[in-house]
Structures are given as structure tokens and as C-alpha cells.
Amino acid sequence: MSLKQIEVDIAKFASELRGYELYGKADKLQNYEKAYTNLIQQIDTLAKLLLSKNNQENLAKLKESMITLHTINIPRTELITRYGTTIHQESFLLEHKLEREGLDNATQQSRTLFEAVQKTLDKLVIEVKTNNFNRLDNYKLISEILLATIAFLSLLVYFAIRKSINRSI
């Protein structure tokens, strides 16, 4: 339930997809899907904790971008499932020109959207840090005011007791 875990899941999402594209191994596809599922769950969980308007907007944008990214990659993963690593061979380009163009287009869209996801994540991290530091500054000010109030009240009690003792002597 942290931004760091979201960063890890996004990196895993991208690397497992790339691994599946390069090697065509089913476990890479399963790990990619698992990273996606975990990522969406992490975003939903974090949305319950980070309540500021900007954080909510950034999390919603991040989730929407990840869903779109996953959707864009469905035809890509289906092609890889169907043809395996032969998609990297020149013969594939000659025999399946339309599919190869679709794969290249999906790859480019995925790359562009992934860059946008990274920017949104960076913006979210900065926003969370800013909110946290602002909250710490507010708590510091409140603590200083409470400390001054307690010190003042302590002095009042001290002088009241001292005055009472002096009167009784």
C-alpha cells in the first residue's frame, strides 16, 4: 500500500510484458497479468488513504492510464501468443504485414502511454511529498503553540502557588 510498491508494480508490468515479447514464455504473460492486477489493487487501496483532491485526481489518471495501457497491449499479447518469438523474424514481416504493423502500432502507443504513466506517477510522488511536508509543518506549528500555552499556564500556576505561599507566611 505504498507509492514505492506502485512503482515496483509498474516496472514489473513493463518488464514482464517485454520479457513475454522477447521470449514468448507463458510465465512472463502470467506475471504481467498478475502485476497489472496488483497494480490496480494498489492504486485503489492508496486512493482510500490519500484523500487530497490532487492525489485523488492523479491516482484516477494513473489507474485510467494503466487500464488503457493494458487494453492497448491485449492485441499485442494475443499476437505473441499466436506466433511466439517468430514475430521478430523478417519472414513474419513479409508473411503477416498487417499484423506486424498492428504490433508496431500497439508497441508505439504503449511506449507513449507508458511515458505518460511515468510522468503521472512522478507528479503523484511529488504531490504526496509536498502534502506530507505541509502536514508536518502544520503539526510543528500546532506543537509549538501547545508548548507555549502549556509553558504560560505552568507559569501562571507557579505564580499563583508562590503568591499563596507568600500570603500564608
Side-chain angles (χ1 to χ4, degrees):
M1 284 190 292
S2 70
L3 283 174
K4 189 53 89 179
Q5 186 59 46
I6 288 176
E7 290 175 324
V8 167
D9 285 341
I10 287 174
K12 188 170 184 176
F13 173 87
S15 66
E16 293 295 341
L17 177 62
R18 185 68 179 140
Y20 184 59
E21 187 173 342
L22 291 174
Y23 305 113
K25 294 184 179 179
D27 64 322
K28 296 287 185 188
L29 181 60
Q30 290 170 348
N31 291 339
Y32 161 78
E33 292 294 341
K34 184 177 178 182
Y36 171 73
T37 303
N38 288 343
L39 183 57
I40 297 300
Q41 290 172 351
Q42 289 287 336
I43 292 171
D44 288 340
T45 301
L46 207 54
K48 295 174 187 173
L49 301 174
L50 302 177
L51 302 177
S52 79
K53 181 182 175 187
N54 289 339
N55 289 339
Q56 289 292 318
E57 289 171 359
N58 287 328
L59 285 167
K61 185 177 179 182
L62 183 63
K63 182 177 179 179
E64 180 183 322
S65 295
M66 288 308 302
I67 291 170
T68 304
L69 188 59
H70 184 261
T71 303
I72 286 171
N73 286 317
I74 290 173
R76 189 173 167 192
T77 57
E78 288 173 349
L79 277 174
I80 298 165
T81 300
R82 190 175 321 137
Y83 296 107
T85 57
T86 61
I87 62 170
H88 303 296
Q89 299 171 0
E90 279 190 48
S91 61
F92 183 81
L93 178 59
L94 297 173
E95 295 170 11
H96 306 281
K97 186 174 181 174
L98 287 177
E99 289 172 322
R100 181 58 194 210
E101 287 174 1
L103 179 65
D104 290 343
N105 186 36
T107 301
Q108 183 59 38
Q109 285 179 333
S110 180
R111 183 178 301 121
T112 302
L113 191 55
F114 187 76
E115 290 170 3
V117 163
Q118 289 290 13
K119 287 179 184 176
T120 302
L121 183 60
D122 292 343
K123 185 177 176 184
L124 179 64
V125 168
I126 289 169
E127 188 69 33
V128 168
K129 284 181 183 179
T130 301
N131 284 344
N132 287 345
F133 282 123
N134 288 342
R135 190 174 300 131
L136 285 174
D137 287 342
N138 288 340
Y139 291 155
K140 177 184 171 192
L141 180 63
I142 290 169
S143 297
E144 289 170 348
I145 291 170
L146 280 173
L147 184 61
T149 303
I150 290 170
F152 178 72
L153 290 174
S154 296
L155 284 173
L156 284 177
V157 169
Y158 167 75
F159 286 118
I161 292 173
R162 184 174 156 202
K163 188 175 183 182
S164 175
I165 290 174
N166 284 341
R167 282 188 190 162
S168 66
I169 295 183

PDB file of all heavy atoms in Angstrom, residues 68-88:
ATOM      1  N   THR A  68      -5.970   1.606 -19.782  1.00  0.00           N
ATOM      2  CA  THR A  68      -5.816   1.839 -21.220  1.00  0.00           C
ATOM      3  C   THR A  68      -4.574   1.143 -21.744  1.00  0.00           C
ATOM      4  O   THR A  68      -4.610   0.504 -22.807  1.00  0.00           O
ATOM      5  CB  THR A  68      -5.740   3.356 -21.516  1.00  0.00           C
ATOM      6  OG1 THR A  68      -6.902   3.987 -20.993  1.00  0.00           O
ATOM      7  CG2 THR A  68      -5.631   3.622 -23.003  1.00  0.00           C
ATOM      8  N   LEU A  69      -3.487   1.245 -21.003  1.00  0.00           N
ATOM      9  CA  LEU A  69      -2.234   0.593 -21.405  1.00  0.00           C
ATOM     10  C   LEU A  69      -2.422  -0.915 -21.511  1.00  0.00           C
ATOM     11  O   LEU A  69      -1.971  -1.551 -22.474  1.00  0.00           O
ATOM     12  CB  LEU A  69      -1.134   0.943 -20.407  1.00  0.00           C
ATOM     13  CG  LEU A  69       0.284   0.524 -20.714  1.00  0.00           C
ATOM     14  CD1 LEU A  69       0.745   1.121 -22.035  1.00  0.00           C
ATOM     15  CD2 LEU A  69       1.220   0.966 -19.601  1.00  0.00           C
ATOM     16  N   HIS A  70      -3.093  -1.478 -20.538  1.00  0.00           N
ATOM     17  CA  HIS A  70      -3.355  -2.918 -20.557  1.00  0.00           C
ATOM     18  C   HIS A  70      -4.229  -3.282 -21.758  1.00  0.00           C
ATOM     19  O   HIS A  70      -3.974  -4.273 -22.444  1.00  0.00           O
ATOM     20  CB  HIS A  70      -4.020  -3.343 -19.249  1.00  0.00           C
ATOM     21  CG  HIS A  70      -4.236  -4.809 -19.140  1.00  0.00           C
ATOM     22  ND1 HIS A  70      -5.452  -5.385 -19.408  1.00  0.00           N
ATOM     23  CD2 HIS A  70      -3.398  -5.824 -18.813  1.00  0.00           C
ATOM     24  CE1 HIS A  70      -5.356  -6.696 -19.238  1.00  0.00           C
ATOM     25  NE2 HIS A  70      -4.121  -6.987 -18.880  1.00  0.00           N
ATOM     26  N   THR A  71      -5.240  -2.463 -22.024  1.00  0.00           N
ATOM     27  CA  THR A  71      -6.139  -2.719 -23.151  1.00  0.00           C
ATOM     28  C   THR A  71      -5.407  -2.629 -24.485  1.00  0.00           C
ATOM     29  O   THR A  71      -5.624  -3.457 -25.377  1.00  0.00           O
ATOM     30  CB  THR A  71      -7.322  -1.717 -23.125  1.00  0.00           C
ATOM     31  OG1 THR A  71      -7.986  -1.832 -21.855  1.00  0.00           O
ATOM     32  CG2 THR A  71      -8.307  -1.990 -24.233  1.00  0.00           C
ATOM     33  N   ILE A  72      -4.536  -1.637 -24.612  1.00  0.00           N
ATOM     34  CA  ILE A  72      -3.739  -1.491 -25.838  1.00  0.00           C
ATOM     35  C   ILE A  72      -2.871  -2.722 -26.071  1.00  0.00           C
ATOM     36  O   ILE A  72      -2.658  -3.135 -27.216  1.00  0.00           O
ATOM     37  CB  ILE A  72      -2.846  -0.227 -25.761  1.00  0.00           C
ATOM     38  CG1 ILE A  72      -3.689   1.034 -25.934  1.00  0.00           C
ATOM     39  CG2 ILE A  72      -1.732  -0.258 -26.801  1.00  0.00           C
ATOM     40  CD1 ILE A  72      -2.929   2.318 -25.661  1.00  0.00           C
ATOM     41  N   ASN A  73      -2.408  -3.328 -24.998  1.00  0.00           N
ATOM     42  CA  ASN A  73      -1.482  -4.453 -25.116  1.00  0.00           C
ATOM     43  C   ASN A  73      -2.174  -5.796 -25.326  1.00  0.00           C
ATOM     44  O   ASN A  73      -1.500  -6.798 -25.578  1.00  0.00           O
ATOM     45  CB  ASN A  73      -0.568  -4.513 -23.894  1.00  0.00           C
ATOM     46  CG  ASN A  73       0.474  -3.429 -23.932  1.00  0.00           C
ATOM     47  OD1 ASN A  73       1.070  -3.160 -24.975  1.00  0.00           O
ATOM     48  ND2 ASN A  73       0.710  -2.789 -22.814  1.00  0.00           N
ATOM     49  N   ILE A  74      -3.497  -5.838 -25.250  1.00  0.00           N
ATOM     50  CA  ILE A  74      -4.197  -7.114 -25.457  1.00  0.00           C
ATOM     51  C   ILE A  74      -3.932  -7.681 -26.853  1.00  0.00           C
ATOM     52  O   ILE A  74      -3.536  -8.847 -26.975  1.00  0.00           O
ATOM     53  CB  ILE A  74      -5.703  -6.990 -25.143  1.00  0.00           C
ATOM     54  CG1 ILE A  74      -5.899  -6.817 -23.632  1.00  0.00           C
ATOM     55  CG2 ILE A  74      -6.475  -8.197 -25.655  1.00  0.00           C
ATOM     56  CD1 ILE A  74      -7.322  -6.518 -23.215  1.00  0.00           C
ATOM     57  N   PRO A  75      -4.117  -6.894 -27.924  1.00  0.00           N
ATOM     58  CA  PRO A  75      -3.811  -7.453 -29.254  1.00  0.00           C
ATOM     59  C   PRO A  75      -2.330  -7.837 -29.386  1.00  0.00           C
ATOM     60  O   PRO A  75      -2.004  -8.823 -30.047  1.00  0.00           O
ATOM     61  CB  PRO A  75      -4.152  -6.319 -30.226  1.00  0.00           C
ATOM     62  CG  PRO A  75      -4.999  -5.370 -29.477  1.00  0.00           C
ATOM     63  CD  PRO A  75      -4.672  -5.543 -28.031  1.00  0.00           C
ATOM     64  N   ARG A  76      -1.499  -7.083 -28.730  1.00  0.00           N
ATOM     65  CA  ARG A  76      -0.060  -7.366 -28.766  1.00  0.00           C
ATOM     66  C   ARG A  76       0.242  -8.728 -28.131  1.00  0.00           C
ATOM     67  O   ARG A  76       0.952  -9.545 -28.712  1.00  0.00           O
ATOM     68  CB  ARG A  76       0.642  -6.240 -28.003  1.00  0.00           C
ATOM     69  CG  ARG A  76       2.116  -6.199 -28.082  1.00  0.00           C
ATOM     70  CD  ARG A  76       2.580  -4.917 -27.406  1.00  0.00           C
ATOM     71  NE  ARG A  76       3.999  -4.912 -27.152  1.00  0.00           N
ATOM     72  CZ  ARG A  76       4.603  -4.040 -26.388  1.00  0.00           C
ATOM     73  NH1 ARG A  76       3.925  -3.078 -25.797  1.00  0.00           N
ATOM     74  NH2 ARG A  76       5.901  -4.094 -26.209  1.00  0.00           N
ATOM     75  N   THR A  77      -0.327  -8.961 -26.966  1.00  0.00           N
ATOM     76  CA  THR A  77      -0.081 -10.245 -26.296  1.00  0.00           C
ATOM     77  C   THR A  77      -0.744 -11.397 -27.048  1.00  0.00           C
ATOM     78  O   THR A  77      -0.211 -12.513 -27.060  1.00  0.00           O
ATOM     79  CB  THR A  77      -0.563 -10.212 -24.829  1.00  0.00           C
ATOM     80  OG1 THR A  77      -1.947  -9.869 -24.783  1.00  0.00           O
ATOM     81  CG2 THR A  77       0.240  -9.228 -24.009  1.00  0.00           C
ATOM     82  N   GLU A  78      -1.879 -11.133 -27.676  1.00  0.00           N
ATOM     83  CA  GLU A  78      -2.536 -12.186 -28.468  1.00  0.00           C
ATOM     84  C   GLU A  78      -1.680 -12.582 -29.669  1.00  0.00           C
ATOM     85  O   GLU A  78      -1.584 -13.766 -30.002  1.00  0.00           O
ATOM     86  CB  GLU A  78      -3.921 -11.723 -28.910  1.00  0.00           C
ATOM     87  CG  GLU A  78      -4.926 -11.673 -27.784  1.00  0.00           C
ATOM     88  CD  GLU A  78      -6.257 -11.063 -28.179  1.00  0.00           C
ATOM     89  OE1 GLU A  78      -6.370 -10.476 -29.279  1.00  0.00           O
ATOM     90  OE2 GLU A  78      -7.201 -11.157 -27.360  1.00  0.00           O
ATOM     91  N   LEU A  79      -1.075 -11.600 -30.312  1.00  0.00           N
ATOM     92  CA  LEU A  79      -0.180 -11.910 -31.438  1.00  0.00           C
ATOM     93  C   LEU A  79       1.025 -12.717 -30.974  1.00  0.00           C
ATOM     94  O   LEU A  79       1.431 -13.677 -31.641  1.00  0.00           O
ATOM     95  CB  LEU A  79       0.307 -10.622 -32.109  1.00  0.00           C
ATOM     96  CG  LEU A  79      -0.625  -9.992 -33.126  1.00  0.00           C
ATOM     97  CD1 LEU A  79      -0.079  -8.653 -33.596  1.00  0.00           C
ATOM     98  CD2 LEU A  79      -0.821 -10.917 -34.311  1.00  0.00           C
ATOM     99  N   ILE A  80       1.567 -12.335 -29.851  1.00  0.00           N
ATOM    100  CA  ILE A  80       2.726 -13.062 -29.322  1.00  0.00           C
ATOM    101  C   ILE A  80       2.320 -14.480 -28.946  1.00  0.00           C
ATOM    102  O   ILE A  80       3.059 -15.438 -29.201  1.00  0.00           O
ATOM    103  CB  ILE A  80       3.335 -12.315 -28.123  1.00  0.00           C
ATOM    104  CG1 ILE A  80       3.843 -10.940 -28.565  1.00  0.00           C
ATOM    105  CG2 ILE A  80       4.466 -13.113 -27.499  1.00  0.00           C
ATOM    106  CD1 ILE A  80       4.137  -9.986 -27.426  1.00  0.00           C
ATOM    107  N   THR A  81       1.127 -14.625 -28.369  1.00  0.00           N
ATOM    108  CA  THR A  81       0.636 -15.953 -28.006  1.00  0.00           C
ATOM    109  C   THR A  81       0.458 -16.806 -29.260  1.00  0.00           C
ATOM    110  O   THR A  81       0.821 -17.980 -29.274  1.00  0.00           O
ATOM    111  CB  THR A  81      -0.704 -15.838 -27.237  1.00  0.00           C
ATOM    112  OG1 THR A  81      -0.492 -15.061 -26.055  1.00  0.00           O
ATOM    113  CG2 THR A  81      -1.224 -17.208 -26.862  1.00  0.00           C
ATOM    114  N   ARG A  82      -0.075 -16.198 -30.308  1.00  0.00           N
ATOM    115  CA  ARG A  82      -0.341 -16.926 -31.546  1.00  0.00           C
ATOM    116  C   ARG A  82       0.953 -17.286 -32.289  1.00  0.00           C
ATOM    117  O   ARG A  82       1.108 -18.401 -32.771  1.00  0.00           O
ATOM    118  CB  ARG A  82      -1.239 -16.095 -32.459  1.00  0.00           C
ATOM    119  CG  ARG A  82      -1.757 -16.897 -33.651  1.00  0.00           C
ATOM    120  CD  ARG A  82      -2.750 -16.143 -34.521  1.00  0.00           C
ATOM    121  NE  ARG A  82      -3.662 -15.319 -33.743  1.00  0.00           N
ATOM    122  CZ  ARG A  82      -4.003 -14.069 -34.075  1.00  0.00           C
ATOM    123  NH1 ARG A  82      -3.535 -13.518 -35.167  1.00  0.00           N
ATOM    124  NH2 ARG A  82      -4.835 -13.375 -33.322  1.00  0.00           N
ATOM    125  N   TYR A  83       1.878 -16.339 -32.391  1.00  0.00           N
ATOM    126  CA  TYR A  83       3.052 -16.549 -33.244  1.00  0.00           C
ATOM    127  C   TYR A  83       4.363 -16.748 -32.485  1.00  0.00           C
ATOM    128  O   TYR A  83       5.377 -17.106 -33.091  1.00  0.00           O
ATOM    129  CB  TYR A  83       3.218 -15.364 -34.214  1.00  0.00           C
ATOM    130  CG  TYR A  83       2.081 -15.235 -35.177  1.00  0.00           C
ATOM    131  CD1 TYR A  83       1.147 -14.218 -35.042  1.00  0.00           C
ATOM    132  CD2 TYR A  83       1.921 -16.144 -36.216  1.00  0.00           C
ATOM    133  CE1 TYR A  83       0.086 -14.093 -35.922  1.00  0.00           C
ATOM    134  CE2 TYR A  83       0.859 -16.025 -37.103  1.00  0.00           C
ATOM    135  CZ  TYR A  83      -0.057 -15.004 -36.951  1.00  0.00           C
ATOM    136  OH  TYR A  83      -1.098 -14.894 -37.828  1.00  0.00           O
ATOM    137  N   GLY A  84       4.352 -16.507 -31.210  1.00  0.00           N
ATOM    138  CA  GLY A  84       5.571 -16.689 -30.422  1.00  0.00           C
ATOM    139  C   GLY A  84       6.667 -15.721 -30.825  1.00  0.00           C
ATOM    140  O   GLY A  84       6.407 -14.604 -31.264  1.00  0.00           O
ATOM    141  N   THR A  85       7.886 -16.167 -30.711  1.00  0.00           N
ATOM    142  CA  THR A  85       9.025 -15.291 -30.999  1.00  0.00           C
ATOM    143  C   THR A  85       9.263 -15.111 -32.495  1.00  0.00           C
ATOM    144  O   THR A  85      10.151 -14.341 -32.868  1.00  0.00           O
ATOM    145  CB  THR A  85      10.303 -15.834 -30.338  1.00  0.00           C
ATOM    146  OG1 THR A  85      10.538 -17.165 -30.791  1.00  0.00           O
ATOM    147  CG2 THR A  85      10.186 -15.823 -28.822  1.00  0.00           C
ATOM    148  N   THR A  86       8.476 -15.758 -33.309  1.00  0.00           N
ATOM    149  CA  THR A  86       8.642 -15.562 -34.761  1.00  0.00           C
ATOM    150  C   THR A  86       8.267 -14.142 -35.180  1.00  0.00           C
ATOM    151  O   THR A  86       8.601 -13.732 -36.297  1.00  0.00           O
ATOM    152  CB  THR A  86       7.775 -16.559 -35.568  1.00  0.00           C
ATOM    153  OG1 THR A  86       6.400 -16.356 -35.257  1.00  0.00           O
ATOM    154  CG2 THR A  86       8.196 -17.992 -35.279  1.00  0.00           C
ATOM    155  N   ILE A  87       7.625 -13.385 -34.291  1.00  0.00           N
ATOM    156  CA  ILE A  87       7.264 -12.006 -34.624  1.00  0.00           C
ATOM    157  C   ILE A  87       8.496 -11.137 -34.840  1.00  0.00           C
ATOM    158  O   ILE A  87       8.407 -10.074 -35.435  1.00  0.00           O
ATOM    159  CB  ILE A  87       6.367 -11.368 -33.545  1.00  0.00           C
ATOM    160  CG1 ILE A  87       7.102 -11.297 -32.202  1.00  0.00           C
ATOM    161  CG2 ILE A  87       5.046 -12.083 -33.432  1.00  0.00           C
ATOM    162  CD1 ILE A  87       6.397 -10.468 -31.158  1.00  0.00           C
ATOM    163  N   HIS A  88       9.648 -11.610 -34.375  1.00  0.00           N
ATOM    164  CA  HIS A  88      10.886 -10.841 -34.520  1.00  0.00           C
ATOM    165  C   HIS A  88      11.634 -11.174 -35.814  1.00  0.00           C
ATOM    166  O   HIS A  88      12.622 -10.517 -36.128  1.00  0.00           O
ATOM    167  CB  HIS A  88      11.811 -11.093 -33.321  1.00  0.00           C
ATOM    168  CG  HIS A  88      11.165 -10.772 -32.011  1.00  0.00           C
ATOM    169  ND1 HIS A  88      10.762  -9.512 -31.657  1.00  0.00           N
ATOM    170  CD2 HIS A  88      10.818 -11.571 -30.966  1.00  0.00           C
ATOM    171  CE1 HIS A  88      10.222  -9.539 -30.458  1.00  0.00           C
ATOM    172  NE2 HIS A  88      10.236 -10.774 -30.019  1.00  0.00           N
TER     173      HIS A  88
END
